[in-house]
Every structure is written in C-alpha cells, then in structure tokens.
C-alpha cells in the first residue's frame, strides 16, 4: 500500500494550538471550543470582525514549527514506516502567505520525525496529482485537477463530521482501519 | 496535456550562476566551463579537495532565490500557461540542507512568475509519484518509488548529453517538441 498522510489536523495539532493561542492572546474575546468547530476553515467560524486577528495567529512566525504533534501521531508514523515501504507526508502550504509555513513544515518534520521523513515530504496545493492508495486527511472535500486515484480516509475531527461517505480514522484505530498489523 | 516542469537547470540557471560565483569566490582555483560539464552533480566534477567550497556556494543564503532565469524560460512559461490548463513546477529540495533552498524556491517563483505559479509548485524528492504526461527535466535519470506515467523530455544541457533515448528540448524549440502552437 502506498500511503499519503496530511500534516495539519492529522499529525500536527493546528486547531488545538490555534485555540490555545487565541485564548492566550485575546482572553476577552469569544472562543469556539474544539468540539463545536464546524467547517474546515477556523477563520470562517469566528465573527467577521475577528478575521484579521484569527489569521494573525496562524501567520505568525513559529506557529507551524511549534505545533504539538497530535496525540499518538508520532508513534503511529514510526510503526507505519516499519510496515509500509511507501509513505509520504502530503501537505499544502498556506497561500499566498507562504513565508513561514513552507520552511516551518520542513523543520517540524525534521524535529519530530528526522531526516528520513523530510525526504518523503510532498508539498503541493493539488493533492489529486499525487499517486497513492490512501490519503489520510482531515479536509472534508479535496478537489484538484485530477480524479484522485487514492481513497480519501478522513482523519476524524469535529469539523468534518458532516461527511458521511468516507472511512474515518484516528491515531487510536488506524491499525484496524488500514488493516496494518 | 498535463505538463510538469523542473526548476534548477531548466527554468533557473543553477549551473551558470554557480560558475559565476565560483570564479568570483575562488579566482585562483580551476573551474569547469559549462560546455565541459559532465554528470549531473557539479560537486562530483570538481576535485575532491574542493567539495566543501563547491557546496558552500549553493548552500549559501540567497543562492536559489537569486538564480537568473534560463534565457527564454519566463516567456515560454507564460505562453505555456496560456495554452495548457495543467502545468506544474515539479522540483526537488536540496537535502539534508533544505534551510535556504525550500523557501527560496517559493520566493523565486513568486518574484519571476507571480502568485498563480506559486500555487502550482510541487516540491517532492520523488517525482515518479506525480501524475503527468510530460516531465521536462535536465536530470539524466529520474528514479523513484513508482513507474512514472510521464514521458521524461530532457532539457538539453552539456551534462546530460550522454542520454540518448529521450526527446530533448530547450526554450528555443519547445513549441515543436511539445507540439504546442
């Protein structure tokens, strides 16, 4: 099996760390608890007048590099690497403000997973052009220029629970879902 | 047609600018004129005792960002974008020293081609996992984890003229080779 794995919201805790920083930076403003998050883009769920402040958080230097790993993700990735020959981290850079995100994603992988995994990063806005059997991704719908050849297995998050047609996975049940021993 | 285009040695003049900097930084040392370059890696053609100095040049901050475009490349890319719906810049980061190269490749594309093209960057060490009809690349042999579905059209360079089985292209004859009007 050729496996593609997304980063933010799957192995790096974008939402959790966004919320932590939001509450720290704007304690007087409303916040949306993780379990109430709906829709893929956090910015769209906050009131319009907060849009600039929301983006300020994930555009700030160090945000991507310092995201904590999702619980169980690093251990799961190491086990997966032992079981499968072809595993890639398939991640989209933030655009147009790519300045911090692009390099920090590389740093994150190097720091948490090491050089071998840096070698297996695929940075692309269009994931449908990448060959694979399975893509694990938290994004509800993944569009691009090709009909994807991979099955989109959803990494379960509160904001994607409106999607019902896909298999779901977390780092608690990945072995059963992917049928890997 | 879905077209993948490499960056270094195809649209960005890695070899030309390396040589310029080499002669500037080490005027007392031997240099290898472009037309005598053999083998893909410039480091391997210079005497072993210069290896560190050679790498110092392309690992230095600003090297990738300031590469001049290959003559005719920017004009050709703009015409290609008008003719084809699916064009991607498919480029491999330098590893393990990715610190400058990764972000600077994005800057280069932004500065020379604009945001639209930044959107179409695919950064991957393994180009065989990317779907496409044609990959234009100066590297003599491109290996990876898949049997590539693209035809490898070689961007003609002195150091890849030992390869005889592939079609060859430059920014002078690309329309005829790709059969694009």
């Amino acid at each position: 099996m050729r496996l593609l794995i997304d980063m933010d919201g799957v192995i790096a805790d974008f939402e959790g760390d966004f919320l932590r920083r939001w509450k720290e930076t704007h304690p007087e403003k409303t916040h949306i608890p993780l379990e109430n998050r709906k829709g893929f883009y956090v910015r769209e769920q906050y009131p319009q007048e907060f849009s600039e402040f929301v983006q300020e958080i994930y555009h700030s230097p160090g945000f991507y590099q310092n995201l904590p790993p999702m619980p169980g993700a690093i251990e799961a990735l190491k086990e997966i690497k032992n079981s499968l020959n072809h595993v890639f981290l398939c991640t989209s850079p933030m655009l147009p403000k790519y300045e911090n995100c692009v390099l920090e994603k590389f740093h994150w992988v190097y720091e948490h997973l090491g050089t071998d995994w840096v070698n297996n990063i695929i940075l692309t806005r269009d994931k449908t052009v990448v060959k694979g059997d399975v893509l694990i991704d938290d994004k509800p719908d993944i569009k691009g220029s090709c009909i994807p050849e991979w099955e989109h297995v959803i990494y379960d998050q509160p904001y994607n629970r409106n999607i019902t047609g896909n298999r779901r996975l977390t780092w608690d049940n990945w072995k059963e879902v992917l049928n890997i021993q």
Side-chain angles (χ1 to χ4, degrees), chain A:
Chain A
M1 180 168 62
R2 176 177 297 274
L3 184 60
L4 313 173
I5 305 171
D6 175 40
M7 288 183 66
D8 299 324
V10 175
I11 64 170
D13 191 7
F14 183 103
E15 289 279 338
D17 214 45
F18 167 80
L19 183 57
R20 184 186 65 76
R21 286 175 184 249
W22 178 260
K23 291 199 279 194
E24 195 177 277
T25 320
H26 303 287
E28 76 295 354
K29 295 193 178 73
T30 185
H31 73 269
I32 294 156
L34 289 185
E35 61 275 19
N36 297 349
R37 277 276 297 110
K38 290 191 199 317
F40 186 62
Y41 298 105
V42 62
R43 176 172 52 85
E44 296 179 0
Q45 205 181 351
Y46 275 75
Q48 178 97 47
E49 67 265 32
F50 294 168
S51 175
E52 191 188 325
F53 303 125
V54 168
Q55 292 178 71
E56 212 168 69
I57 287 180
Y58 54 71
H59 286 153
S60 65
F63 178 78
Y64 283 95
Q65 188 168 350
N66 294 309
L67 290 179
M70 294 285 282
I74 302 298
E75 298 72 15
L77 288 175
K78 288 180 178 168
E79 282 195 64
I80 285 170
K81 191 85 154 181
N82 283 335
S83 303
L84 299 179
N85 289 325
H86 303 304
V87 190
F88 295 89
L89 298 176
C90 188
T91 181
S92 298
M94 178 73 69
L95 288 186
K97 288 191 185 290
Y98 62 78
E99 288 80 358
N100 301 314
C101 144
V102 163
L103 185 57
E104 290 187 15
K105 278 175 180 280
F106 272 71
H107 286 330
W108 193 97
V109 172
Y110 178 73
E111 286 165 15
H112 290 284
L113 294 160
T115 302
D116 266 13
W117 283 88
V118 176
N119 213 19
N120 292 338
I121 296 173
I122 302 172
L123 207 63
T124 178
R125 292 280 287 182
D126 184 344
K127 297 186 183 182
T128 68
V129 303
V130 183
K131 295 153 85 87
D133 298 301
V134 166
L135 168 66
I136 300 172
D137 206 306
D138 62 319
K139 193 170 182 180
D141 57 331
I142 301 177
K143 300 266 189 270
S145 62
C146 293
I147 297 168
E149 62 174 57
W150 32 256
E151 174 194 355
H152 176 194
V153 172
I154 290 208
Y155 190 87
D156 183 58
Q157 289 277 16
Y159 49 81
N160 61 32
R161 296 221 175 107
N162 57 318
I163 303 295
T164 53
N166 302 52
R167 293 197 295 157
R168 289 188 169 262
L169 170 151
T170 66
W171 298 123
D172 284 329
N173 70 6
W174 64 275
K175 287 187 190 176
E176 294 80 64
V177 176
L178 298 179
N179 200 16
I180 291 177
Q181 299 315 314

